[in-house]
Amino acid sequence: MKLFSAVLALYALQTEAFTGVSVSKTASSSTSLASSSWWDQGAGVYQKPSGAQPQAGAITRSGGQGRAIPPGAWHNFSPSGKTRVEGQSRRTWDFRDTNQEDVQLALTSSTGRPVKSQIELWVGPDWTPFTLKAYTEDGEKRPIQCVMGTRGKVAQVEVRNIAPYEFALDAEAMYAQGPIATLRKDVPNMSQGVYVEGGSVKQLPVSGDIEAVSVLLNTGTRQLNAQIEILNGPNNPKQVFEVFTNNGLLNSILVVFECPPGHGTSIRITNQATLEFPCHAYVTAA
């Protein structure tokens, strides 16, 4: 005990000599961590101050942030546009209008089963400049919704159901109409982009009053190799998109997530490319 007191006294003298701040002993010969307002006095429990602001980067409707997609604009497919794709099979759609570029795609499951698919863009006989792998645990409550580009060329879009045979899906694809046709160009002007360096991960919490979130990924003509997830709870992905393209500007990708009511939802973006291939993520309330 005497040795401990001597060491503590020596530490106090050294601290006072180097910093000019006196270190005083409490009755229990220990220093207190409870001086900060972020700690509960006596218990050492982390507590947020009552006047704290929302977490930086959180997805909310504040700050003038509007809806990326007007209500009802997304679900404008014709009733006869659905195509059933059995497990372990595929379907293709032709897009031959070079005056249009953006393609709207939706994959659903009327029975609420998981949807696991791979989407490819074909340009010419043997060129696949864009590949998107998509998964959702419930194709009815959380449909796969995205907007992709054809680079203004004659192209085909393939949807491959890579789930077992029992897990069929309904697919719809068409040239984007109305406000959705310009979303990939408009969204960067609606929100401040998040810089995601190669090999890094960004996670943004979603406010409980948000019904849907849109995420746009692009790069400055470099390759894009990234993964977008919506989490509900700690490390519990409900829906996953994994995209690769050799040109993240011409083939930028916009995906839409349906968000359940309540808190605990977040968006996680992982740049799977190397350090020299960063990307920008634009996240808005959809």
Side-chain angles (χ1 to χ4, degrees), residues 12-33:
L13 291 174
Q14 289 178 340
T15 303
E16 185 174 357
F18 281 101
T19 65
V21 178
S22 177
V23 179
S24 59
K25 293 188 294 180
T26 64
S28 59
S29 301
S30 63
T31 57
S32 174
L33 295 177

Side-chain angles (χ1 to χ4, degrees), residues 184-206:
R184 294 195 304 143
K185 298 181 179 65
D186 294 342
V187 167
N189 300 322
M190 298 175 61
S191 67
Q192 184 176 359
V194 178
Y195 181 81
V196 187
E197 202 168 52
S200 65
V201 179
K202 299 291 183 181
Q203 187 161 338
L204 304 173
V206 179

Side-chain angles (χ1 to χ4, degrees), residues 4-214:
F4 174 76
S5 300
V7 171
L8 186 61
L10 181 60
Y11 168 75
L13 291 174
Q14 289 178 340
T15 303
E16 185 174 357
F18 281 101
T19 65
V21 178
S22 177
V23 179
S24 59
K25 293 188 294 180
T26 64
S28 59
S29 301
S30 63
T31 57
S32 174
L33 295 177
S35 59
S36 172
S37 61
W38 289 77
W39 289 83
D40 179 52
Q41 294 289 338
V45 178
Y46 180 85
Q47 290 190 343
K48 200 171 185 179
S50 58
Q53 298 297 319
Q55 182 175 346
I59 305 167
T60 65
R61 294 200 185 279
S62 61
Q65 187 181 64
R67 295 178 67 99
I69 304 174
W74 183 268
H75 306 284
N76 59 358
F77 291 99
S78 63
S80 60
K82 287 186 178 182
T83 301
R84 184 178 176 87
V85 185
E86 302 289 347
Q88 299 298 308
S89 66
R90 66 184 185 182
R91 294 290 184 273
T92 59
W93 286 260
D94 291 329
F95 294 94
R96 299 184 175 276
D97 188 353
T98 56
N99 295 319
Q100 301 187 70
E101 181 181 0
D102 288 32
V103 171
Q104 178 181 349
L105 181 70
L107 307 181
T108 61
S109 172
S110 58
T111 58
R113 291 188 172 189
V115 173
K116 190 175 183 181
S117 62
Q118 180 170 305
I119 303 157
E120 293 183 350
L121 174 70
W122 297 345
V123 178
D126 57 358
W127 185 32
T128 307
F130 175 89
T131 301
L132 177 68
K133 295 179 180 179
Y135 166 79
T136 178
E137 72 170 17
D138 188 329
E140 183 178 15
K141 294 181 179 179
R142 299 178 182 270
I144 292 172
Q145 306 171 120
C146 66
V147 179
M148 52 192 288
T150 62
R151 304 193 181 192
K153 301 179 182 295
V154 176
Q156 285 186 315
V157 172
E158 180 208 47
V159 173
R160 184 184 307 166
N161 188 346
I162 58 178
Y165 178 79
E166 297 84 2
F167 295 93
L169 61 85
D170 295 319
E172 302 171 281
M174 58 181 274
Y175 278 116
Q177 305 293 324
I180 297 180
T182 59
L183 269 181
R184 294 195 304 143
K185 298 181 179 65
D186 294 342
V187 167
N189 300 322
M190 298 175 61
S191 67
Q192 184 176 359
V194 178
Y195 181 81
V196 187
E197 202 168 52
S200 65
V201 179
K202 299 291 183 181
Q203 187 161 338
L204 304 173
V206 179
S207 176
D209 62 341
I210 301 296
E211 299 175 357
V213 174
S214 67

